[in-house]
Amino acid sequence: MAAGATTVGTTAGSGGAQGAEAGPGAGSEAGSGRRAVSAGRLRRTLLAALVAAAVVVPVSAAASPGVPAPAPVVFAEGAAPHGRYAANRASLAEAARMAEDAGRTGRAAKLRVMDAAGSARFLVFDGRGRGRAVEVFGDLETADRVTVLVPGSDTTLDTYQRFRAGAVSLQQRLQAEHPRSAVVAWLGYDTPGTVSTTVLTADRADQAAAELGPFLDGLRDMTGPGSHISLLCHSYGSVVCARTSTGPEVTDMVLFGSPGTGAGSARDLPTGARVWAGRGGGDWIGNVPHVRLGGIGFGTDPVDPAFGARAFSAGPAGHSDYLKPGTESLDNLAAIVLGTAAPATTTTTTQEDPHA
């Protein structure tokens, strides 16, 4: 697709050159050149429209910019997880009270559900606006297999339960095989709206990567000795992960339901982790044109062998189905985290490539 975009520009340019030529038939050639330029512009417009049409589906949740909430708790560097959990539970309860007092009963009810009757464990909580939340499932301090889930568009405090459900499903699947597992649901950035222009560019991903990288560095000090961290990156979250620099503690980066990353290959990602990619047979995002035009779109499809990621089978999963209990996609994601997975297909990476 990227090559096709280059061809469009070349065709338009050559048409303009023909139109500048003098001599017999120059008028005809000029008209032909103008038609070529118009056709080139039309093709570019249509490609951009196709990207928008494929990505924009009517599942957007309303943002809540006016919801009052306390400022997030600021912790000293190295603060223990359990101290963070207690402080953030108090902040969550206060946010629910403030939302209720302001007549935002829907948000208040959702915050109370998030509190999980006082048992929720949040490393980060910010109830303002669309919100931020980083929740832990499992015993982080003893875990030697830690998974960080990075969500895609329209994940906010108002839609948090669907994100949490995936994290719980993964944690239950991991613990059935490896009790020293923990899952971190990282809603640590302002996700773009599915029905928005921001979902077509990497701006939000760049901002998120600047938050995710330091979080991963700090997470290493909260886990068990010798722990392995896996990044599981869904949809627009794969754009975030592809821009996040990671250290040696991150052993695997998994891109699923991805619209692309903006990178031409796995070798271009700022990580030494093994890079995996998979897409379910029922995922509508497979219809997204993998083009990049003027900063719009994300280029090479990560499941394309030319990208160089390790492929894993996601079965018939739809875009929101990858972490549902009993699915092939969940089983294979768990196997990657536990280090028991083998690539589903041979990729173009070599044994010397750190991503292989």
Side-chain angles (χ1 to χ4, degrees):
M1 288 291 187
T6 302
T7 302
V8 168
T10 303
T11 302
S14 63
Q18 290 174 353
E21 292 178 359
S28 175
E29 290 176 2
S32 175
R34 284 192 293 272
R35 286 192 296 272
V37 171
S38 297
R41 289 173 180 164
L42 177 61
R43 280 194 288 268
R44 288 194 293 271
T45 300
L46 287 175
L47 281 171
L50 281 170
V51 172
V55 172
V56 175
V57 293
V59 297
S60 179
S64 302
V67 177
V73 181
V74 178
F75 297 98
E77 185 176 352
H82 287 277
R84 293 172 181 260
Y85 300 157
N88 282 320
R89 279 197 300 271
S91 182
L92 178 56
E94 178 64 9
R97 185 195 64 78
M98 292 174 68
E100 187 76 37
D101 289 348
R104 304 303 291 265
T105 55
R107 168 63 72 86
K110 288 170 181 174
L111 292 176
R112 292 191 182 103
V113 171
M114 287 177 64
D115 184 52
S119 64
R121 292 182 287 184
F122 288 96
L123 290 172
V124 175
F125 174 77
D126 184 352
R128 300 172 299 178
R130 293 168 66 88
R132 308 274 184 100
V134 179
E135 188 171 7
V136 175
F137 303 88
D139 189 344
L140 188 61
E141 293 171 289
T142 63
D144 60 11
R145 293 286 176 176
V146 178
T147 305
V148 178
L149 287 179
V150 181
S153 61
D154 272 328
T155 307
T156 69
L157 295 187
D158 293 316
T159 63
Y160 184 76
Q161 288 309 306
R162 68 187 184 194
F163 180 44
R164 176 187 247 175
V168 170
S169 175
L170 177 62
Q171 174 63 1
Q172 290 174 344
R173 175 63 183 81
L174 291 171
Q175 287 212 317
E177 191 169 341
H178 188 82
R180 292 180 62 195
S181 301
V183 173
V184 179
W186 189 83
L187 176 53
Y189 77 111
D190 290 329
T191 64
T194 302
V195 183
S196 70
T197 56
T198 54
V199 80
L200 303 177
T201 72
D203 292 346
R204 292 286 179 90
D206 288 333
Q207 295 167 15
E211 300 286 343
L212 180 56
F215 172 79
L216 293 172
D217 289 341
L219 184 64
R220 173 185 53 202
D221 298 328
M222 299 182 195
T223 63
S227 62
H228 297 266
I229 299 175
S230 298
L231 272 176
L232 267 58
C233 318
H234 178 239
S235 194
Y236 190 86
S238 66
V239 187
V240 174
C241 291
R243 284 165 162 70
T244 301
S245 296
T246 68
E249 69 280 356
V250 177
T251 57
D252 294 275
M253 179 183 292
V254 190
L255 317 174
F256 57 105
S258 175
T261 65
S265 74
R267 291 184 179 89
D268 297 332
L269 305 186
T271 182
R274 292 179 290 265
V275 179
W276 302 75
R279 183 165 59 234
D283 191 341
W284 57 264
I285 212 163
N287 297 320
V288 171
H290 290 280
V291 296
R292 186 167 176 80
L293 298 169
I296 296 176
F298 301 109
T300 308
D301 188 347
V303 302
D304 187 331
F307 186 76
R310 294 183 170 208
F312 75 93
S313 176
H319 192 64
S320 300
D321 299 338
Y322 291 91
L323 296 174
K324 286 188 175 179
T327 57
E328 181 180 353
S329 53
L330 177 62
D331 285 344
N332 286 333
L333 287 168
I336 292 171
V337 171
L338 297 177
T340 60
T345 60
T346 301
T347 68
T348 57
T349 55
T350 65
Q351 290 183 346
E352 291 74 26
D353 191 333
H355 300 112

